[in-house]
Amino acid sequence: MREEMLKSILSDLNGSSADIEASAVISTDGLTIASLLSSTMDEDRVGAMAAAMLSLGDRTAIELARGELEQVMIKGDNGYVLLIHAGHDAVLTVIARKEAKLGLVFLDAKRAASGIAELL
């Protein structure tokens, strides 16, 4: 039941913008809780990488006195990966196209992360 509700939030997020290609809810220890990833993406790999990046981002923010981490953004030649805390035990991972309107993606992702945090 909870996984279905999480997938519904992810589906709404993916449908909110043509710029969002995929999304997933990952536990902070790297396990995929729910996902809407393309068939070319390995859930386990995405989960492990998201957890590692989030952990590194948390530590960096603390060590450099930047406060509590809000998000991690990775920009590559083919687009973006956005990681946002969704409560204390999960992270929302959003994969967006390179032409994405980042302001809208951030807004939609933040709303989705809040909904996910309430469920978890």
Side-chain angles (χ1 to χ4, degrees):
M1 176 77 174
R2 185 175 74 169
E3 184 180 356
E4 305 257 336
M5 294 172 79
L6 290 171
K7 282 195 174 188
S8 175
I9 291 172
L10 294 178
S11 181
D12 290 346
L13 173 62
N14 290 9
S16 68
S17 169
D19 292 333
I20 297 174
E21 296 178 330
S23 59
V25 179
I26 313 287
S27 70
T28 52
D29 58 357
L31 299 174
T32 303
I33 299 169
S35 70
L36 290 178
L37 300 173
S38 74
S39 60
T40 61
M41 295 178 193
D42 180 347
E43 264 188 13
D44 294 333
R45 272 185 124 171
V46 171
M49 289 185 290
M53 289 301 302
L54 188 68
S55 176
L56 184 59
D58 277 331
R59 181 159 179 185
T60 302
I62 290 166
E63 291 291 327
L64 299 177
R66 299 296 97 191
E68 196 167 321
L69 180 72
E70 289 185 28
Q71 64 191 19
V72 174
M73 185 186 78
I74 300 161
K75 180 181 180 190
D77 290 342
N78 295 321
Y80 302 89
V81 180
L82 177 63
L83 307 170
I84 299 177
H85 274 288
H88 292 291
D89 300 323
V91 59
L92 172 62
T93 303
V94 178
I95 299 167
R97 295 143 70 53
K98 68 179 178 180
E99 304 85 11
K101 294 179 179 88
L102 290 179
L104 294 175
V105 171
F106 288 148
L107 179 65
D108 292 338
K110 202 165 194 173
R111 285 184 186 150
S114 293
I116 292 164
E118 288 177 18
L119 280 176
L120 300 176

